Amino acid sequence: MSARILEGKVFAGQFKEDARKRAAALKEKYGVQPGLAVIIVGHDPASEVYVRNKHKACEELGIYSEVIEMAEDSSKEEILARIDSLNKDAKIHGILVQLPLPKALRSSEEEILDSIDPVKDVDGFHPVNVGRMVKGEEALLPCTPHGCLKMLELAGIEIEGKKAVVVGRSNIVGKPMLHLLLARNATVTICHSRTENLPAVTREADILVAAVGCPKFITADMVKEGATVIDVGINRLPPAEPGAKGKLVGDVDFEAALEVAGAITPVPGGVGLLTVAMLMENVVQAAEMQLA
Ligand code: GUN
């Protein structure tokens, strides 16, 4: 049997509509438009596409948006100074530094991200927001895992008491996904590159989240019959011919897993769209908190 395909646009559309209404309500009540500033350092092609999509979503929903393009060779001090002025800027309610940073700045990533005022941290990466999330307190939550969770809920997929397996332990997806599923009373296992007999673990999962960044890493034999499979990966395969663009694929072998899973997200057109929608919600939430 072929699985139910969880289309990102269906769910993202509903979350964006919610963000649009809440943004309009803030304009009406306070005369203020929620505002997002995105800092992009250098010219990573994928990052440029993601940043453009974030800017377009803001325009669509009545959210003010500033894209701050900084040179590849910007210093840590220059970036910290921009963040400091955005922290103080009343037009800006959310700040995001697009990752990855250029290689020379990678060792400063934590210092840069931690310099964002936690109330404007719409990525949910600041230790204050991470701590609140782990404790189950109100926080700005990381967009991708939060989008996955809300999609599961909206799709009517039961989480409570179910076995969830997260493959990948990044700070952006794997670790927060673990905490968000745990807060919904799932029994959660997190796997990584050192996990022994990974297929035996993933085959136990009622909900399987793949966030490893490796094309088609999860094969059909790693999926339990009827499981819900959430594919967070976006990988570009080498092009079939020189000059062409390689195909985008996820971390799951989609065509094969489709025959085993009960529900599955496609790539492209799955979780990626939810990330932008949840960012819009976070900007509105941040503005609501700052204006209240
Ligand atoms: N690069 C890839 N995903 C993300 C994300 O969620 N936030 C930021 N800031 N950069 C990213």
Side-chain angles (χ1 to χ4, degrees):
M1 209 183 75
S2 202
R4 169 184 176 194
I5 297 178
L6 302 170
E7 299 273 2
K9 67 170 182 269
V10 174
F11 301 96
Q14 298 190 42
F15 302 144
K16 278 178 161 177
E17 193 44 40
D18 178 51
R20 184 208 306 279
K21 284 189 187 139
R22 285 163 65 190
L26 286 173
K27 186 94 204 265
E28 169 101 10
K29 188 166 176 191
Y30 300 102
V32 173
Q33 199 180 13
L36 170 70
V38 175
I39 298 178
I40 176 165
V41 187
H43 295 282
D44 178 76
S47 291
E48 286 181 328
V49 174
Y50 298 146
V51 168
R52 214 176 307 131
N53 289 342
K54 288 166 186 174
H55 180 68
K56 272 200 278 191
C58 284
E59 287 193 326
E60 221 182 282
L61 304 183
I63 294 173
Y64 171 72
S65 162
E66 268 180 36
V67 176
I68 296 147
E69 293 171 351
M70 298 188 69
E72 179 93 19
D73 61 353
S74 299
S75 67
K76 175 184 83 180
E77 288 71 24
E78 285 169 320
I79 300 171
L80 291 175
R82 286 312 290 259
I83 292 174
D84 185 52
S85 75
L86 292 167
N87 279 339
K88 294 173 182 150
D89 186 338
K91 287 195 306 300
I92 299 299
H93 305 93
I95 304 168
L96 180 151
V97 177
Q98 187 65 32
L99 300 176
L101 287 167
K103 275 204 183 73
L105 287 162
R106 299 265 165 94
S107 61
S108 308
E109 183 178 300
E110 230 170 79
E111 190 180 346
I112 290 169
L113 296 180
D114 292 359
S115 75
I116 297 173
D117 184 338
V119 299
K120 297 192 176 188
D121 165 39
V122 285
D123 257 331
F125 292 168
H126 193 285
V128 167
N129 283 313
V130 175
R132 285 190 184 137
M133 174 190 65
V134 171
K135 290 177 76 183
E137 295 173 4
E138 191 184 18
L140 288 164
L141 298 172
C143 301
T144 301
H146 190 206
C148 293
L149 184 81
K150 289 194 52 163
M151 181 186 60
L152 288 170
E153 289 178 335
L154 202 58
I157 287 159
E158 220 175 311
I159 302 173
E160 178 149 331
K162 298 296 174 196
K163 283 190 184 157
V165 173
V166 180
V167 189
R169 55 176 159 181
S170 69
N171 290 329
I172 297 185
V173 182
K175 286 184 204 159
M177 194 76 246
L178 155 74
H179 290 291
L180 296 177
L181 287 164
L182 188 59
R184 293 297 188 282
N185 299 317
T187 301
V188 194
T189 303
I190 188 155
C191 301
H192 44 79
S193 53
R194 311 278 172 88
T195 298
E196 288 181 359
N197 201 357
L198 181 66
V201 183
T202 58
R203 272 197 297 271
E204 290 274 299
D206 300 305
I207 297 167
L208 178 60
V209 181
V212 271
C214 186
K216 302 191 183 191
F217 181 82
I218 303 287
T219 47
D221 62 307
M222 296 168 79
V223 178
K224 177 176 159 179
E225 184 89 35
T228 298
V229 180
I230 307 291
D231 190 352
V232 182
I234 304 180
N235 312 288
R236 199 173 283 284
L237 293 180
E241 53 200 70
K245 255 194 170 176
K247 191 178 167 210
L248 278 183
V249 298
D251 289 350
V252 178
D253 183 351
F254 180 79
E255 280 78 19
L258 197 59
E259 300 306 315
V260 187
I264 187 166
T265 61
V267 177
V271 166
L273 300 169
L274 295 173
T275 300
V276 178
M278 295 321 296
L279 174 65
M280 299 299 110
E281 276 213 358
N282 275 359
V283 177
V284 173
Q285 187 188 336
E288 287 168 348
M289 292 190 302
Q290 286 161 56
L291 294 164

